[in-house]
Amino acid sequence: MCDNSTAAFQLTSKTKEVLLKLSTSHSLPVPLVLRSKIILLASEGRSNPQISAETGIAYTTVSTWRTRFYNSTELINRAEQCAEPDDTSSELENVIISVLSDKQREVEPVFTQKQLQLINELASKNPKDFGWRLRCWNPPVLAAEAARQGIVKFISPASFQRFLKPAAH
């Protein structure tokens, strides 16, 4: 992967127009407005440290969004080329907003009902039965034992406290 910290973007006038519109919007989410500003500053040849210092946005955030935009320039150029001449850049705007928006994450249950059942069963047993020299479980040891038994690949001690708290009442 190339270092995009100083790569200047060659923005077309339409793309720059859309980014200017986004960067001054009062109705869009603030992160989208800031990301538009990052790209505009990058297009002027500023480096990531310069953009970070000028905007107060963390360097890693600047780098992330600059890289994402840089890697999407072909998609953005295609959207612009496909737009009708009298189009008010709505399709191009949608593509740029998509590029500068957080990716939607698929939300799946972290643990199945069966895993939760097995975790609760394990918690009700004596740790000495599993070779631990403890009178009662503590979250880190319980997490380690659940992983050792293959109930889960990994579980944090904090997750165990959340799961077991309702059972304690």
Side-chain angles (χ1 to χ4, degrees):
M1 181 167 160
C2 65
D3 178 16
N4 299 320
S5 67
T6 57
F9 299 106
Q10 300 300 316
L11 300 177
T12 65
S13 59
K14 281 187 179 182
T15 298
K16 188 171 185 173
E17 179 183 322
V18 170
L19 286 166
L20 284 168
K21 177 182 171 188
L22 299 177
S23 72
T24 57
S25 174
H26 296 289
S27 60
L28 290 173
V30 171
L32 186 59
V33 172
L34 294 175
R35 293 165 190 165
S36 300
K37 289 178 183 177
I38 289 169
I39 302 309
L40 286 169
L41 292 170
S43 75
E44 295 172 3
R46 289 187 177 85
S47 68
N48 290 348
Q50 290 170 324
I51 295 170
S52 179
E54 190 170 328
T55 61
I57 299 169
Y59 172 87
T60 54
T61 302
V62 171
S63 178
T64 295
W65 292 103
R66 182 180 194 139
T67 299
R68 184 175 301 174
F69 191 89
Y70 182 83
N71 291 337
S72 301
T73 52
E74 187 176 316
L75 173 70
I76 293 165
N77 290 338
R78 261 189 276 129
E80 186 172 330
Q81 290 169 359
C82 292
E84 295 293 324
D86 60 342
D87 187 2
T88 58
S89 302
S90 61
E91 181 62 30
L92 177 60
E93 184 174 325
N94 289 339
V95 169
I96 291 173
I97 287 173
S98 173
V99 167
L100 296 179
S101 294
D102 290 320
K103 298 288 184 202
Q104 292 295 322
R105 296 182 182 105
E106 287 187 31
V107 179
E108 295 180 23
V110 177
F111 302 105
T112 65
Q113 284 301 110
K114 182 68 175 170
Q115 286 173 312
L116 294 176
Q117 177 188 347
L118 292 171
I119 287 168
N120 279 307
E121 287 174 11
L122 177 62
S124 68
K125 295 179 181 173
N126 189 327
K128 290 180 180 180
D129 295 342
F130 301 95
W132 297 97
R133 290 188 262 169
L134 300 169
R135 288 186 310 182
C136 60
W137 292 108
N138 62 48
V141 174
L142 192 53
E145 183 61 27
R148 188 179 71 79
Q149 289 190 22
I151 296 171
V152 293
K153 287 183 182 178
F154 172 81
I155 185 169
S156 71
S159 292
F160 263 108
Q161 288 176 311
R162 265 196 325 276
F163 296 146
L164 300 176
K165 193 176 273 188
H169 295 291

